[in-house]
Amino acid sequence: MAKKASSSSESTKGESGGQKRPFVWARKDLLGMDELSAEEIVHVLDTAESFREVSTRSIKKVPALRGKVVALMFFEDSTRTRMSFELAASRLSADTMIFTSKGSSVAKGETTLDTVRNVKAMGVDVFVIRHSQPGAPHMVSRKVDASIINAGDGAHEHPTQALLDIFTLRQRLGGVAGRRVAIVGDIAHSRVARSNILGLRKLGAEVVVVGPPTMVPSAITAMGCQISHSLDDVLGEVDAINMLRIQFERFGGNLFPSLREYSKVYGLNSQRLARCRKDVLVMHPGPINRGVEITSHVADGPNSCILQQVTNGLAIRMAVLYLVTQAGEPEIRNSKTK
Ligand code: CP
């Protein structure tokens, strides 16, 4: 890293003015936002801030993970997450192996655990796992002696997406505490919504989830967010709007009359954007269904930070790979980041 992270979590001064122990990351896995404290979230964001500079150099590499092997295990489709983890591992000088279930021996009946154990036998230090089954990375972490990073497990969690979303909000708004964020769409089937709510609430943001009653479980208020079934009602009161894709792959039946009807009531278009604060941030985790949850005019317009989210995903994933491999190794932490 070019400079030391400027996290308050790394401060050595206590509130009373005395010396405080420096923050040391202790997790070998990243399974969800649920398990992270506010201090840990800030530490990831600050570490990512330091790694962002690496991508501006002519030689975009640091030796932080030299000698380590990172296996990208994608049992479910991905573009952004898989490619940014691959580039992140490469920028940290790790060796990478990429598994996608399509074309693999999963088609012959090999289980998730057998697949991971066989790849581990080739000498893997970190597994990045995406899976359609909620809890799959957690199950692997109990059975396999390596670092496990959850790259999205069913409708459960997508912690690195939430971290890059919060990183982007912090970058654009100067902080998230006291800010109001709307998350709009298929909340019930969205791991992005769950992880964002958990992370944003821990950092003191207000969250309102918006969607039709069939897509917004009332129990979600237990996570500390509010519910609205009217997008028009919340437009003028939020600092950011995170639009979600309808997760057609996660439910069988119809949850709304038609796509046209859904788009009319819950789609973000130019007319609705005009009723938002002038500098409202428009976010989307991707992939976008243009013309359904968001129009091209809004997705590609000046309020959109959708591609900035993707750019920030690289720094966040470098930070997460780095932190899980350095857990418990402070002397390596300090010597390998130059
Ligand atoms: N946001 C996200 O997870 O995108 P991918 O499915 O392309 O990885």
Side-chain angles (χ1 to χ4, degrees), residues 74 77-82 130 151 158 161 191-192 285-287 317:
F74 279 72
D77 296 345
S78 168
T79 298
R80 282 148 288 268
T81 311
R82 191 180 71 208
R130 169 168 289 192
H158 193 350
Q161 180 68 46
R191 55 194 177 207
V192 174
R317 286 163 181 139

